[in-house]
Amino acid sequence: MTDDLPDDLTPADMLAMEWALGTLDSKARADAEVRRARDPEFAALCSNWAEQLAPLAEEIAPIAPSPALWSRIDAEIGKEDGFQPAATPVTIAPWWSRLALWQGATAAFASLALALLVTRPSPPAPAASPPAAATQGNLLAATLAAESGRALVTASLDTGRSSVVVSPVASEDLDGRVPELWLIPADGTPRSLGLIDLGGVQKVSVSPTLLKLVAEGAVLAVSLEPAGGSPTGLPTGPVVATGKLTNL
Amino acid sequence: MAGEPVDAATLLARIAGGDRAAVKHLYDSMGMKLLGVVARIIGDRQEAEDVVQEVFITIWRKAAEYDPARASPAAWMLTIARNRAIDRIRARGSRPSGSPEALEPLADPHARADSLADANDTERTVHRALAGLDPRHAAVIRAAYLDGMSYDALSAREGVPVGTIKTWVFRGLRQMRERVAS
């Protein structure tokens, strides 16, 4: 294929073209996504091509969505109200500081506290939280570790906030795949909580349906999936870490 | 929104601040466009609506990551929508039999004018650039971008090896960039 190739194009240039055009297969797309996240120069090439190609979409006629679509989107967003994008960590801070305090305790103390199943009163609702949705919440935590015992992420789940805060503590060779977080409740069937990023602390929302399945002893797990997440709704890739939820 | 120009960048900034009403405004101005783009790739109206739902949830979650210095709002949202749609068809291996003709395009010309209002000049330039390419190069670029066709699918359609398709894509896009720049 190389005989005719324009010789002034760099491999990054060509990959960015393929990324923006969308011609790659799943594996290569996932690899390109990883590179885009890690390599700002490559990400800029990609944005540039996405920008150049966007006008092509103008020729596609708009389609009026069914009236139910907006209701579905609005309901989904409503569930996440109080969720703040990662770039505004302010609302995460009070949460996180509580966990940091807990993590600061000695391991011996922590395991003792866990062994005694110390339950803590639900935290006072911060002023910023949405008024109506504030319910009495349970705080659960889990350390997700590989079979070797190596911890990959810690997670703390606040049922009152319908969310789980995930904090990576180690990196993982993703091999072009994306980490997906799963809740495995008492019935043993994994439910996806969505894709996570091992690059930093983040808050993942938990739908009311899944929230009902959250209980002490339920397991959180991380599997590596193709770009866009598991296509089947169940983990398809290797499970790289698991951990049991314990009441705090 | 009658007569009121919609500034999508402002809406994205408001969404980043947690403004749910801004999502509705963005949906009203871009939802139909994005559904058109996604339905063309997916080929199934219901599944396309599912994807558009995911797209707006993603926009709600990631609006804070939008950087106006790097992308126009339209290109940013199109990227999210196309990536979601293409991930779906790649995951299932092929397109279903549902044809785009089964989808009802919207007749209202205003909806189209609103959606990517600032793109018109660029659009003309890009289409002119595409029109000047080797027709085979232009055809694979359009099929890849608009229909989400993979290298394998393009290779089967054109009856040439994948390597040849790649060469057409790279040569075509490079030439297109030069023409748009000049």
Side-chain angles (χ1 to χ4, degrees):
Chain A
M1 59 163 265
T2 48
D3 5 311
D4 254 1
L5 274 185
D7 51 12
D8 56 337
L9 291 176
T10 66
D13 224 356
M14 292 191 277
L15 185 60
M17 288 175 173
E18 296 175 308
W19 174 86
L21 202 54
T23 46
L24 298 168
D25 63 24
S26 296
K27 170 77 168 68
R29 284 171 62 75
D31 289 347
E33 273 315 320
V34 170
R35 176 152 178 202
R36 220 162 62 89
R38 290 183 183 166
D39 177 349
E41 270 181 47
F42 176 67
L45 288 174
C46 288
S47 297
N48 206 282
W49 274 111
E51 199 70 41
Q52 294 228 18
L53 290 168
L56 287 177
E58 257 314 283
E59 72 178 69
I60 298 178
I63 295 176
S66 60
L69 181 57
W70 169 251
S71 313
R72 277 159 56 197
I73 293 169
D74 196 37
E76 196 72 29
I77 289 173
K79 284 186 215 162
E80 300 189 3
D81 215 356
F83 171 102
Q84 292 293 317
T88 52
V90 187
T91 47
I92 294 178
W95 229 128
W96 195 235
S97 52
R98 284 208 305 275
L99 199 71
L101 263 182
W102 171 73
Q103 283 180 328
T106 65
F109 173 80
S111 42
L112 178 67
L114 295 180
L116 294 174
L117 303 183
V118 176
T119 38
R120 53 184 300 150
S122 47
S129 77
T135 51
Q136 293 284 306
N138 284 331
L139 201 51
L140 300 98
T143 299
L144 281 63
E147 268 184 81
S148 66
R150 175 176 169 269
L152 181 66
V153 296
T154 60
S156 54
L157 200 158
D158 186 339
T159 58
R161 286 167 173 265
S162 310
S163 64
V164 52
V165 170
V166 177
S167 170
V169 294
S171 58
E172 177 72 26
D173 179 13
L174 297 176
D175 191 25
R177 290 163 300 183
V178 292
E180 186 159 357
L181 183 64
W182 302 87
L183 170 71
I184 307 168
D187 67 8
T189 307
R191 310 310 201 278
S192 176
L193 294 175
L195 299 180
I196 59 170
D197 177 356
L198 295 179
V201 177
Q202 67 224 270
K203 198 168 180 178
V204 179
S205 63
V206 181
S207 73
T209 322
L210 293 185
L211 213 51
K212 289 190 194 129
L213 301 170
V214 170
E216 189 169 42
V219 169
L220 291 180
V222 174
S223 69
L224 300 185
E225 303 293 338
S230 162
T232 66
L234 288 172
T236 59
V239 174
V240 291
T242 60
K244 246 182 208 173
L245 280 168
T246 315
N247 281 320
L248 287 185
Chain B
M1 47 177 264
E4 201 179 306
V6 181
D7 179 348
T10 306
L11 289 176
L12 285 174
R14 281 170 50 194
I15 294 168
D19 180 350
R20 279 173 66 182
V23 185
K24 175 72 165 111
H25 287 302
L26 197 62
Y27 177 83
D28 287 340
S29 66
M30 282 294 289
M32 291 181 289
K33 183 76 213 177
L34 294 179
L35 181 58
V37 168
V38 168
R40 170 91 176 249
I41 292 172
I42 296 272
D44 175 89
R45 167 69 177 266
Q46 189 52 51
E47 200 180 348
E49 291 208 356
D50 291 346
V51 171
V52 169
Q53 178 175 351
E54 292 171 10
V55 168
F56 276 91
I57 305 299
T58 305
I59 290 171
W60 162 250
R61 289 179 183 162
K62 301 209 164 167
E65 293 173 21
Y66 168 67
D67 178 359
R70 279 179 51 179
S72 66
W76 188 73
M77 289 185 276
L78 278 170
T79 296
I80 293 173
R82 290 187 65 252
N83 279 350
R84 285 265 170 186
I86 292 173
D87 283 341
R88 281 228 182 189
I89 59 168
R90 291 290 184 279
R92 75 181 174 214
S94 66
R95 286 184 61 148
S97 50
S99 72
E101 283 76 10
L103 305 164
E104 301 154 39
L106 195 72
D108 178 5
H110 297 295
R112 183 169 179 181
D114 275 358
S115 57
L116 291 171
D118 58 340
N120 287 342
D121 283 346
T122 334
E123 184 199 348
R124 277 192 288 274
T125 314
V126 167
H127 283 286
R128 248 201 327 266
L130 208 53
L133 301 186
D134 179 320
R136 293 168 309 172
H137 299 184
V140 295
I141 289 169
R142 285 169 44 86
Y145 192 83
L146 300 174
D147 300 312
M149 290 181 83
S150 65
Y151 278 136
D152 287 342
L154 291 166
S155 158
R157 192 183 81 160
E158 301 290 325
V160 297
V162 167
T164 305
I165 298 288
K166 288 188 182 185
T167 305
W168 290 358
V169 162
F170 296 141
R171 292 179 73 86
L173 286 181
R174 188 194 57 164
Q175 208 177 337
M176 197 173 133
R177 178 166 62 188
E178 282 164 1
R179 283 163 184 263
V180 169
S182 64

